[in-house]
Amino acid sequence: MLVAHKTDVAIIGSGIAGLTAGCLLAKDGFSITVLEQNWLPGGCASSYPRKNYIFESGATTLVGLDEHMPLKFLLDEIGVDIHPLELKPPMKVYLPNGEILTRYHDLEAWISEAERVFGQKGQRAFWTYCYKLSQFVWETSLQQRAFPPSNVSDLAYAIRHFRPKQVRFAPLAFLSMDRLLDRYGLRENEQFVRFVNEQLLITAQNHVEEVNALFGATALCYTNYSNYYVPGGLINLVRPLVEYIEQNGGNVQMREPVSQIEPLSGEYLITTKRAQIRANKVISAIPINNTLELFNESRIRQKLSPKLMKSEELNSAFSLGFVCKKFREFECLHHQVHVQTPLPFAGSNSIFLSLSHPADTERCGPDEVVASVSTHVHHPAQTILEDKQQIEEVIFDVLESHDLFRRDALIFHHSSTPKAWEKWTRRAWGFVGGYPQYMRIKPWQMLDARLDHKGAYICGDSTYPGQGIPGACLSGIIAYQKLKMDSF
């Protein structure tokens, strides 16, 4: 028997985007109902228990708490402090030729390191310019919170928050990172181009030919902003947001998958297995692919269908979690290892390893380390991972060769394929990291948060492509801003 109740705003999905919109709307007095199909909130930025250890479900590092960045804006607005630990340095990268470089937070230190490894030609000018672009992108993103404009109110908001440099830098949306590298004489530096490609995959989900200079510079410079670790896992970023919504009169319902959203006269009827919820407004905080399955309304389907990406344009992941006894001290927690030969079945060229913080005893014992390993799987609908054990063994071999793992210290491990990701998140083909950047999609061509200009909205990492937690958070801020403008 279906139980009916009424809410101001129903939010489908409890990832960072949906929780961001929910918190900001709850702060403004809206009644909020968040519907999540999983048993844990957070989507691809959460944590899960396994054999008394805590593993990250997707994202492993936290960025976005510097000035002019979305997560700082959110936490300042709602007055929540998550007490993260800053990471210095943010990352080490292991190149195929055996060279190890440190991605320092300090820009000058990083430029010196890049010059040491890749040669002095073009490095200083390239990284100085990229950092300048990244500052512009984050500052502008919070200034233009009704972007892309889709009605007169949005245009008025854009004009009020206009700054001259927004025009000056706009043409860089037409310039690929490939061409930017060429501008600084770096395109023929094969070792550097490979490094840039694997770094871009972390946050832009694509390579130099397809990532525009604005988003590419922002993606490459994320280690030059403050990187943080959340004790206990990223679930402890998510839980305070859930608690904030509930403390302000809202509710977050777990194990409540939505099967249909039907526009009625002036409201929306959301159907789940256990309930029917009537909402004045609805925000889909799940990917475009999954949102299409919920709406039969032709106007919404016509708007979403052209923006839809297929499996061959997306990435999923092979993930490996393990626990081992502490066998040495680590200078940093995040490591990207570039492999000499593509990984079997997955075909990827790098592995990303994240370790638990030595001061964090919530995830494991004081003499243990929890690790999360991931590698990209392109075109997940077609890529079949036939032998998980073979991939595991290759990953262990690679990590052990860099003294990042020792088999004699291993306590427990498990691994997941794109199929497992699809089951965990319900995201089509288990794709991760959001929609990749593509040159054909300019910033102003990104999907507008308004789905029907009546009361349906969308946010998440398929609307603000490939920038991780900060991008997902920003998309939630934009959905909130447009819904609030439409409500008054």
Side-chain angles (χ1 to χ4, degrees), residues 56 60-62 83-87 227-234 333-334 355-358 360 363:
E56 301 288 34
T60 57
T61 186
L62 184 63
H83 306 290
L85 304 174
E86 188 170 0
L87 301 179
N227 282 227
Y228 293 92
Y229 176 92
V230 180
L234 282 173
L333 302 184
H334 300 296
L355 304 171
S356 58
H357 197 284
D360 184 2
R363 296 181 61 191

Side-chain angles (χ1 to χ4, degrees), residues 7 25 35 75 103 210 304 316 342 357-358 364 399 426 429:
T7 188
L25 290 166
L35 302 168
L75 298 179
R103 291 235 49 187
E210 288 291 354
L304 289 179
S316 186
H357 197 284
C364 60
L399 296 180
R426 299 284 178 93
W429 311 296

